[in-house]
Amino acid sequence: MKMKKVAVILCGSGFKDGSEIRESVGVLWALSAEGAEAHCFALDAPQSDVVNCLTGETVPGEIRNQLVEAARIARGNVKPLSELNAADFPALILPGGFGAAKNLCSFARDGSAGTVDPEVQRVLTAFRAARKPIGAVCIAPAILALAFRGASLELTVGAKSEASAEIEKLGQRHVVCPPSAAHVDEKNRVVTTPAYMYDSAPLHEIFEGIRSLVREVCRMA
Amino acid sequence: MKMKKVAVILCGSGFKDGSEIRESVGVLWALSAEGAEAHCFALDAPQSDVVNCLTGETVPGEIRNQLVEAARIARGNVKPLSELNAADFPALILPGGFGAAKNLCSFARDGSAGTVDPEVQRVLTAFRAARKPIGAVCIAPAILALAFRGASLELTVGAKSEASAEIEKLGQRHVVCPPSAAHVDEKNRVVTTPAYMYDSAPLHEIFEGIRSLVREVCRMA
């Protein structure tokens, strides 16, 4: 049996300014366990900011590139997002982290008034048009909410929150879901899991939720 | 039952200049799954270098702090290594990555002629003196080899290699071990797993090895 190739979009390396490291590794681990082949991509562009993850403070003047930092998680095996052709992959997964809401779209700053990076929008539109499954972890469902306004996607970002309210304003349906589970929108072929939206959840429960997400995405792929 | 508190030493965030991200997350995941509480520590000191993990090239002039970068993996919950008191923890685990061989000791540059950072040596000596179990992943066993010269520790860094030969020169016994397993030196209370010493091993196999290591360390703790 040929291995399924799944595209993964990273956006730096770190929960405050890039991809959430643990969620990203969880996705790669679960894909490996499912016998799928992960192919990582990232924008070859600066992060929206650099945050000292010890103090939580923005580092003035420092610039880090999303692709270069994502290579820390991807062990060097990451390509520019411009090279991602939906025709080559039966499925797509977006891990979370603040970078997902700052580098891939402007949801962190603008909420439901936000915009999606054009390259990210191109990729998402192509996967959706081909009815290929898309998985999104943590806050990454907000990117789908912005990219497909008014599509009535069933999405979870965990409990009810300011983020879930903004997602509903975009014409999507928010579903409450615990960190150890994933929500499947069979009709729209979208799978989401809240992960560190529950920021004190035990890591092995978050990995259970990510494992479920990956299993469902691979089933639909 | 009270949760076991396990100390974890990080040294930055990235396989080329800090802690191997996937191995570190694997250790934290396995500790969570075992019902143990991970407490992360790192040297509040510059990394030996900063490497562009996409190109593999050293970035001249750039300085990153081990503690600050480790906070990316630890989600901000990491303390200076100087605050680690062996009396407070029944066990210690060291993930791998080039940082383990460059920031915590000089094994990457000097092999068996290397030295161990004094703060790291202090911590290792205290855990060994108290006969508390120590787990080491990937290249991190080399730190133990340097710290306890001539102790006849049974250690694995995977297959036979230049690294395993240097470890044997230090008066230790190298044991070949696959990535999905861990080697237990019951007498010396040391557990090791090769992880990304097999750099093309599937991630879920590496996690199996790390899970075994963590299970054994928690059993002995």
Side-chain angles (χ1 to χ4, degrees):
Chain A
M1 198 182 75
K2 212 172 155 221
M3 277 177 104
K4 279 178 187 166
K5 290 164 60 180
V6 177
V8 177
I9 301 182
L10 301 175
C11 55
S13 174
F15 69 124
K16 293 274 192 193
D17 58 15
S19 291
E20 214 295 325
I21 284 176
R22 301 176 185 189
E23 293 170 4
S24 304
V25 172
V27 167
L28 299 178
W29 160 75
L31 285 170
S32 176
E34 288 293 315
E37 205 175 75
H39 290 251
C40 295
F41 295 87
L43 287 168
D44 186 3
Q47 298 175 184
S48 114
D49 57 7
V50 177
V51 179
N52 177 318
C53 288
L54 188 62
T55 63
E57 284 167 16
T58 304
V59 185
E62 187 167 353
I63 292 167
R64 294 190 186 183
N65 177 286
Q66 295 179 50
L67 179 65
V68 170
E69 297 307 317
R72 295 181 174 272
I73 297 172
R75 291 176 57 86
N77 297 314
V78 55
K79 289 184 178 161
L81 191 59
S82 57
E83 294 179 18
L84 172 47
N85 183 350
D88 298 335
F89 298 92
L92 173 70
I93 298 179
L94 297 99
F98 262 105
K102 292 198 290 193
N103 301 334
L104 301 181
C105 67
S106 67
F107 185 83
R109 191 185 57 204
D110 304 325
S112 55
T115 54
V116 178
D117 174 273
E119 197 63 44
V120 175
Q121 180 75 56
R122 174 190 69 78
V123 169
L124 292 176
T125 300
F127 275 87
R128 182 160 162 84
R131 292 198 48 74
K132 292 180 174 181
I134 303 175
V137 178
C138 186
I139 194 64
I143 310 171
L144 306 185
L146 285 170
F148 307 120
R149 281 164 199 264
S152 289
L153 305 179
E154 287 173 15
L155 302 169
T156 185
V157 287
K160 276 186 148 192
S161 64
E162 203 184 329
S164 72
E166 291 301 304
I167 283 171
E168 289 188 330
K169 281 188 206 165
L170 287 161
Q172 321 296 354
R173 287 176 290 174
H174 183 260
V175 182
V176 171
C177 179
S180 57
H183 182 77
V184 181
D185 179 343
E186 208 60 68
K187 188 178 147 218
N188 286 296
R189 303 179 67 72
V190 164
V191 188
T192 49
T193 187
Y196 274 115
M197 293 303 291
Y198 293 98
D199 65 2
S200 60
L203 183 52
H204 70 285
E205 289 187 14
I206 286 172
F207 268 38
E208 275 177 46
I210 290 173
R211 183 77 198 263
S212 293
L213 175 143
V214 167
R215 192 179 290 122
E216 292 295 326
V217 165
C218 288
R219 173 183 61 79
M220 293 161 105
Chain B
M1 197 182 77
K2 212 170 153 224
M3 277 178 103
K4 278 178 187 166
K5 289 164 60 179
V6 177
V8 177
I9 301 182
L10 301 175
C11 55
S13 173
F15 71 125
K16 292 274 192 193
D17 58 14
S19 291
E20 214 295 324
I21 284 176
R22 301 176 185 191
E23 293 170 3
S24 303
V25 172
V27 167
L28 299 179
W29 159 73
L31 286 170
S32 176
E34 287 293 316
E37 204 175 76
H39 290 252
C40 295
F41 295 87
L43 287 168
D44 186 5
Q47 299 176 183
S48 115
D49 56 7
V50 177
V51 179
N52 178 318
C53 288
L54 187 64
T55 63
E57 285 167 16
T58 303
V59 185
E62 186 166 353
I63 293 168
R64 295 191 186 183
N65 177 286
Q66 295 179 51
L67 180 64
V68 170
E69 297 308 317
R72 294 180 176 274
I73 297 171
R75 291 177 57 85
N77 298 313
V78 55
K79 290 182 177 163
L81 191 59
S82 56
E83 295 180 17
L84 173 47
N85 183 350
D88 299 334
F89 297 93
L92 174 70
I93 298 179
L94 297 99
F98 262 105
K102 293 197 289 191
N103 301 333
L104 302 180
C105 68
S106 67
F107 186 82
R109 191 184 58 206
D110 304 324
S112 56
T115 54
V116 178
D117 173 273
E119 197 63 45
V120 175
Q121 180 76 55
R122 173 191 70 78
V123 168
L124 292 176
T125 301
F127 275 88
R128 182 159 161 84
R131 294 199 45 74
K132 292 179 174 181
I134 302 175
V137 178
C138 186
I139 193 64
I143 310 172
L144 307 184
L146 286 169
F148 308 120
R149 279 162 200 267
S152 290
L153 306 179
E154 289 173 15
L155 301 170
T156 185
V157 286
K160 276 186 150 193
S161 63
E162 205 185 326
S164 73
E166 291 300 304
I167 282 170
E168 289 188 329
K169 280 189 205 164
L170 287 161
Q172 321 296 355
R173 287 175 290 173
H174 183 259
V175 182
V176 171
C177 179
S180 57
H183 183 77
V184 181
D185 179 342
E186 208 60 67
K187 190 178 148 219
N188 287 296
R189 303 179 66 72
V190 164
V191 188
T192 49
T193 187
Y196 274 115
M197 294 302 292
Y198 293 98
D199 65 2
S200 59
L203 183 52
H204 71 284
E205 289 187 15
I206 285 172
F207 268 39
E208 275 177 46
I210 289 174
R211 182 76 198 262
S212 294
L213 174 143
V214 167
R215 193 179 289 122
E216 293 295 326
V217 165
C218 287
R219 173 182 62 77
M220 294 162 104

